[in-house]
């Protein structure tokens, strides 16, 4: 069995240059819960995903057409597999958020921080690294953070978000394991992934899964289009390009830890925009998330 490539150790300055864009991804993903809930219902999940991906894909193809033509067969296959995983992540996460509370979703999706170091250690047939302890501290912080909103009993939505967390882990590890993907241009690979995911969503829409994308788009007002563009440009295009760029310069566990601050930013968005309030335990949880992420960076 092949093993994960060990990225070269980054100097502190270079490490921060890699970490900061990933942290910004966590910020926009944290804000995506509020944005998605504002424009999505059970019957419009697939339609919104079609629109979300269709908005950015033409621009990506136009800008990266030359590099797309330069991809080899192995790179197309690798990017295609990643695109299928990506489609699964979005379907599971979006349906899950619709069917559960934002509090539960923020807690459960953060378990990617635990799943990724464990999976990485299993692939290497090694004991879990110290970064796993830091991830555990971060998850404890997420528990305290989300308790301020009240933790409801498990639901179908909770299970879907849990599966999305597992799919996120598979996606991060696959990006690090597939040699052809590691050596290819990030823009091209992002474009292929989003194209494959869009194809999956379009086929589901054509099969009659929920409302038609064009009818949903026709019913959108200014607020809904603003939310869709935020999800498309920042939470999709920017986020996954940065993730693919960073995972090849550091490690899957490090990327996962930084993205694990997503629930904290979801809480910040809820306070500033949604008018939510955090109690003492919520504030303590936010501190633990940041401390756990910082310790994880040092451990790596």
């Amino acid at each position: 069995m092949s093993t994960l490539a060990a990225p070269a150790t980054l100097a502190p300055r270079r490490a921060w240059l890699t970490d900061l864009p990933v942290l910004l991804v966590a910020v926009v993903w944290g804000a995506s819960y509020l944005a998605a809930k504002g424009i999505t219902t059970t019957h419009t999940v697939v339609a919104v995903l079609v629109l979300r991906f269709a908005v950015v894909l033409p621009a990506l193809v136009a800008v990266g057409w030359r590099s797309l033509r330069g991809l080899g067969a192995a790179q197309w296959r690798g990017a295609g597999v990643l695109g299928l995983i990506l489609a699964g992540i979005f379907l599971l996460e979006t349906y899950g958020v619709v069917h559960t509370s934002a509090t539960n979703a923020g807690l459960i999706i953060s378990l990617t921080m635990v799943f990724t170091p464990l999976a990485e250690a299993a692939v290497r047939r090694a004991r879990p690294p110290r970064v796993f302890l830091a991830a555990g501290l971060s998850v404890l912080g997420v528990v305290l953070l989300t308790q301020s909103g009240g933790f409801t009993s498990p639901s179908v939505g909770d299970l879907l978000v849990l599966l999305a967390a597992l799919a996120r882990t598979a996606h991060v590890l696959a990006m690090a394991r597939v040699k052809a993907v590691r050596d290819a241009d990030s823009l091209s690979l992002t474009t292929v992934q989003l194209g494959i995911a869009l194809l999956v969503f379009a086929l589901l829409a054509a099969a009659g899964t929920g409302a038609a994308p064009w009818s949903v788009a026709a019913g959108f007002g200014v607020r809904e289009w603003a939310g869709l563009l935020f999800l498309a440009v920042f939470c999709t295009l920017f986020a996954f390009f940065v993730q693919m760029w960073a995972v090849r310069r550091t490690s899957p566990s490090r990327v996962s830890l930084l993205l694990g601050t997503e629930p904290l930013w979801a809480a910040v968005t809820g306070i500033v925009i949604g008018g939510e309030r955090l109690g003492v335990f919520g504030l303590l949880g936010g501190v633990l998330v940041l401390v756990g992420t910082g310790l994880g960076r040092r451990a790596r």
Side-chain angles (χ1 to χ4, degrees), residues 11 26 32 34 56-57 63 73 85 92 108 129 141 149 158 192 198 204 206 217-218 235 243 278:
S32 70
L34 192 61
V56 297
L57 192 61
V63 172
I85 299 174
L92 290 167
I108 297 169
D158 296 331
V192 174
L198 176 58
L204 289 174
C235 302
Q243 189 180 12
L278 284 180

Side-chain angles (χ1 to χ4, degrees), residues 2-237:
S2 61
T3 58
L4 286 167
T9 301
L10 297 175
R13 181 180 178 83
R14 290 190 60 197
W16 275 112
L17 290 176
T18 301
D19 291 349
L20 284 175
V22 179
L23 188 60
L24 185 55
V25 169
V27 174
V28 298
W29 274 356
S32 70
Y33 288 102
L34 192 61
K37 279 188 171 293
I39 65 173
T40 310
T41 67
T42 302
H43 299 293
T44 64
V45 167
V46 172
V48 169
L49 289 174
V50 169
L51 295 172
R52 176 175 177 176
F53 281 57
V55 166
V56 297
L57 192 61
L60 280 176
V61 173
V63 172
W65 177 249
R66 182 173 299 178
S67 57
L68 277 172
R69 294 178 61 185
L71 290 178
Q75 292 170 331
W76 275 96
R77 288 194 297 269
V81 171
L82 290 176
L84 291 175
I85 299 174
L86 186 63
I89 292 171
F90 275 99
L91 287 169
L92 290 167
E93 189 171 271
T94 308
Y95 273 114
V97 168
V98 169
H99 290 288
T100 189
S101 66
T103 296
N104 283 26
L107 170 61
I108 297 169
I109 203 67
S110 71
L111 294 178
T112 304
M113 293 186 296
V114 175
F115 296 154
T116 302
L118 283 176
E120 189 178 7
V123 168
R124 291 180 174 178
R125 297 182 180 181
R127 298 179 61 182
R130 288 181 295 166
V131 72
F132 175 68
L133 298 178
L137 181 61
S138 295
V139 170
L140 174 60
V142 171
V143 172
L144 293 175
L145 177 66
T146 56
Q147 288 307 297
S148 61
F151 188 83
T152 60
S153 59
S155 65
V156 173
D158 296 331
L159 177 60
L160 291 174
V161 178
L162 177 62
L163 293 175
L166 290 170
R168 278 196 186 190
T169 299
H171 189 261
V172 173
L173 291 178
M175 285 192 292
R177 280 184 59 82
V178 180
K179 184 178 180 180
V181 171
R182 294 201 311 268
D183 296 338
D185 174 68
S186 294
L187 177 60
S188 300
L189 293 177
T190 301
T191 303
V192 174
Q193 284 189 78
L194 297 184
I196 294 297
L198 176 58
L199 177 61
V200 171
F201 303 146
L203 290 174
L204 289 174
T209 306
W214 53 86
S215 64
V216 172
F220 275 0
V222 174
R223 184 181 66 84
E224 288 80 10
W225 276 110
L228 180 68
L229 290 175
F230 173 75
L231 291 172
V233 176
F234 292 99
C235 302
T236 305
L237 176 60

